[in-house]
Amino acid sequence: MIPHPAHQPPACARVFPAGGPGTAALAEHVLATGHGTWWTDRSEHPRAVAVTCGGHALLAGDPTALAPDRLAPLAGLCVEASDRFLPVLGAAFDRLHPWDRMLYVHQAPGAPPRVPRGVTVRRLRPEDGPALAAVDPSMGRIHATWGGPPGLAASGHGWAAFRKGRVLALACTRFTGSRYEDVACATDPSERRQHLALACVRGLTDDITGRGRTATWSCSRAHRAGRLLAWTAGFRLLREYVHHTTGPLAVSTAPPLRAAA
């Protein structure tokens, strides 16, 4: 597939509708923030288009326009596409694993969090980049859709719980769209069960409401703790869906194209 810069989407990118909840906001996020890449099957009059950001991808268009060996940019990602794409995706990758997901929308005030003594919960500031870079490795992917810790710190779309300058928990907008912002959160494994993530999510959802948008929450159906946190924070189930995670490319391919800056 042929890469296109984030701020220069191909005309066929209009196939991704604006104003969708959850991961559907990925295309709008890429266009608004410059983090991510558009891909098409050809440069002139493309028939298939994908957009990737932070380990996720949306894929649309005509699946018959895609040869399996050209899908290398989607390897190792969580891909959302219609069932029409499943045959070519299955032929392209060693593994294509269906993943049951749940999409929640923020509809209720949520339980008020209780912050432990010595902990400060606040909006991230640009100077918090080094503290974000130092978080536990289990929390590291949360800033992927912002290009890394400095991008998230400067975005105005994150809240964190701090103790003596150390980030204990973090909530941020994963994908920001025109109507919805999809929320992600993470807590240092040694700091769990203190309502820290709940406090961060509360601050973030208040910000999202203040921006005139609605917060959404996407998580695995099997992630009981994430579902409980969503409910406690005032999110209510909108729908269930399936996306697919891809493994290594199963077919030989030409050298991968470098994404445009």
Side-chain angles (χ1 to χ4, degrees):
M1 298 183 81
I2 299 170
H4 303 264
H7 289 308
Q8 297 177 19
C12 59
R14 289 192 295 268
V15 71
F16 300 118
T23 311
L26 187 158
E28 290 184 291
H29 178 86
V30 171
L31 185 59
T33 67
H35 299 296
T37 306
W38 305 91
W39 305 86
T40 57
D41 63 306
R42 59 189 184 187
S43 57
E44 298 293 330
H45 306 294
R47 298 159 296 170
V49 59
V51 57
T52 57
C53 180
H56 289 260
L58 303 180
L59 177 63
D62 180 4
T64 65
L66 294 169
D69 64 351
R70 303 307 295 168
L71 288 174
L74 305 186
L77 302 184
C78 300
V79 180
E80 289 190 35
S82 72
D83 289 347
R84 298 182 302 118
F85 283 92
L86 293 183
V88 69
L89 288 169
F93 302 104
D94 277 341
R95 297 187 304 275
L96 187 65
H97 178 69
W99 196 358
D100 293 330
R101 306 283 292 174
M102 306 184 79
L103 174 62
Y104 295 82
V105 175
H106 193 249
Q107 296 179 340
R114 292 172 293 178
V115 179
R117 182 175 298 179
V119 173
T120 300
V121 179
R122 61 166 174 81
R123 187 182 298 108
L124 291 171
R125 299 190 287 256
E127 59 268 27
D128 293 323
L132 289 182
V135 299
D136 185 270
S138 65
M139 304 166 63
R141 289 186 59 84
I142 195 169
H143 45 62
T145 60
W146 293 97
L152 175 57
S155 70
H157 286 73
W159 278 68
F162 293 86
R163 182 191 294 123
K164 297 181 179 179
R166 176 171 165 258
V167 174
L168 311 179
L170 172 66
C172 72
T173 296
R174 184 176 62 143
F175 300 117
T176 179
S178 55
R179 292 183 58 195
Y180 297 96
E181 296 188 27
D182 199 50
V183 171
C185 70
T187 304
D188 187 296
S190 66
E191 303 289 346
R192 291 173 180 165
R193 303 184 186 278
Q194 300 183 70
H195 307 284
L196 299 177
L198 178 62
C200 296
V201 171
R202 177 66 176 268
L204 178 61
T205 54
D206 285 349
D207 273 1
I208 293 171
T209 300
R211 289 191 281 268
R213 298 173 183 149
T214 301
T216 63
W217 182 291
S218 308
C219 70
S220 168
R221 186 177 182 182
H223 190 195
R224 185 176 180 276
R227 292 164 54 192
L228 178 60
L229 178 55
W231 182 270
T232 305
F235 292 81
R236 298 296 181 261
L237 183 64
L238 177 66
R239 64 180 175 90
E240 299 184 40
Y241 66 103
V242 177
H243 70 199
H244 291 78
T245 57
T246 60
L249 205 67
V251 291
S252 60
T253 182
L257 292 164
R258 184 181 298 275

